[in-house]
Amino acid sequence: MHRGKGMKFVGDSRVLAPESRKTMLPKDYSEYPGKTEAFWPNFLLKEWMIGAVFLVGYLCLTVAHPAPLERIADPTDTGYIPLPDWYFLFLYQLLKYTFASGPYTVIGAMIIPGLAFGGLLLAPFLDRGPERRPMKRPLATGFMLLALASIVFLTWQSVATHDWAAAERQGKIVAKVDIDKTSDGYKIASDNTCITCHGDNLQGGPGAPSLIGTGLSADEVAKIAKDGKGGKMPAGIFKGDADQLKQLSEFISGLGKK
C-alpha cells in the first residue's frame, strides 16, 4: 500500500505509548551513564568468571578432603545411627522432638516445613512496599531472620547432640575375615555370649565394637574379658576357666592378622 492509504510506518520496533502512560514507564538505561552495562558480553562474562572461581574452589576442596567412606550398608543393622548431609540437619533435628516424631511424624516431616517454606514464598506478597532497606520492610525481614535463626539453631542442636564416637565406630571399614566357627575359640566365645553383643561374625553390634583387627594382644583381650572395659562391657561375663580364657584371647587377638 502507498503512504497515507491506511498503513502507518514505524521507524523502529518501539511503539510509542500514549501521553498518559509515559510518566508511568521506567526510565531507560541510557539515562544512567556509567551505572549500566551490556548484558552480553559484559555482565554475563562477569557471572561466568565468578562461577568458575567458586567451581575451582570446590574442586580443590574435594581433592584435598575427599568424602569419608564407611562400611558397606547393612540393612539388618538396626543399631545404625543415620546422619543426613549438613543442609538437612535442621529437618533431621526437628524429627527428634516429641511433637514432631512418632505418631506426629507427619507434623514434623510435612506440616511444619510446609508452613515455613510457604511463609517464605508468600513474603513478597505480604510485604509489597517499594522500600528496599530491611528496616523499612518489617514483615519480610522478620520472616527471613526467624527462618535463619531456626535453621541455625536446629543445625547446631543436631551436631551437638550427635554421638560422633559411636558413628565413627559403626562406620569403620573392617576387613572381611573368614571366621572358623568350628574352632574352639569361637565355641568358647559363643558359650560366653560374646556373639550376642558382637555379632555372629564378631563384626560388632549396637554399642559393641568389632573384634576383628583390634590390635590387642592376647593378654589385653584376656584382661578385658575378665575385668570388663569402660562400663560398656561389665566384668564377670566370662565364666570359663583359665585354659578357655587363653584359647578365647588368642582366638580374638588373631582375628584380622595376616
Side-chain angles (χ1 to χ4, degrees):
M1 298 176 64
H2 300 287
R3 287 184 79 173
K5 299 295 184 179
M7 176 175 285
K8 183 177 181 180
F9 290 90
V10 181
D12 55 24
S13 60
R14 294 174 296 180
V15 180
L16 297 178
E19 292 295 331
S20 60
R21 293 184 55 197
K22 285 185 177 180
T23 57
M24 300 174 57
L25 296 176
K27 294 183 179 181
D28 190 79
Y29 73 90
S30 60
E31 298 186 30
Y32 300 91
K35 296 184 179 180
T36 60
E37 62 181 356
F39 177 78
W40 171 266
N42 300 16
F43 178 79
L44 202 55
L45 183 59
K46 290 180 181 179
E47 294 293 314
W48 284 347
M49 292 177 64
I50 294 174
V53 170
F54 275 94
L55 179 60
V56 171
Y58 279 121
L59 290 176
C60 292
L61 286 175
T62 55
V63 172
H65 302 282
L69 298 178
E70 294 186 354
R71 61 182 173 86
I72 298 176
D74 182 7
T76 63
D77 185 4
T78 58
Y80 184 81
I81 305 173
L83 186 69
D85 290 320
W86 64 268
Y87 42 83
F88 283 132
L89 285 177
F90 69 99
L91 290 175
Y92 173 69
Q93 179 64 23
L94 181 63
L95 294 176
K96 295 181 182 179
Y97 296 121
T98 304
F99 61 85
S101 61
Y104 308 105
T105 301
V106 66
I107 297 177
M110 299 182 65
I111 296 179
I112 295 179
L115 291 175
F117 287 106
L120 292 177
L121 290 174
L122 292 175
F125 301 97
L126 298 176
D127 189 352
R128 303 177 61 182
E131 289 287 344
R132 298 175 63 88
R133 290 174 293 180
M135 296 299 295
K136 296 293 185 178
R137 304 188 65 180
L139 287 178
T141 304
F143 280 138
M144 184 56 66
L145 291 178
L146 180 62
L148 288 177
S150 301
I151 291 174
V152 170
F153 173 76
L154 291 174
T155 301
W156 173 76
Q157 279 288 96
S158 179
V159 173
T161 57
H162 185 67
D163 191 346
W164 294 99
E168 183 178 359
R169 290 194 302 269
Q170 72 184 5
K172 184 178 179 181
I173 298 177
V174 180
K176 186 176 181 180
V177 177
D178 293 328
I179 298 177
D180 184 7
K181 296 185 178 181
T182 62
S183 65
D184 294 335
Y186 185 86
K187 292 179 180 178
I188 295 172
S190 178
D191 293 339
N192 287 272
T193 67
C194 295
I195 63 174
T196 303
C197 297
H198 297 278
D200 292 343
N201 294 314
L202 305 178
Q203 77 280 3
S210 171
L211 298 182
I212 300 173
T214 60
L216 300 175
S217 64
D219 293 337
E220 291 173 326
V221 174
K223 179 176 176 59
I224 294 173
K226 289 178 60 179
D227 303 334
K229 182 180 180 181
K232 294 185 177 181
M233 179 177 175
I237 292 182
F238 182 77
K239 305 297 184 182
D241 55 27
D243 291 337
Q244 290 178 327
L245 179 60
K246 181 180 179 182
Q247 287 180 305
L248 175 66
S249 59
E250 290 177 350
F251 170 74
I252 293 178
S253 65
L255 293 174
K257 289 184 178 180
K258 294 182 179 181

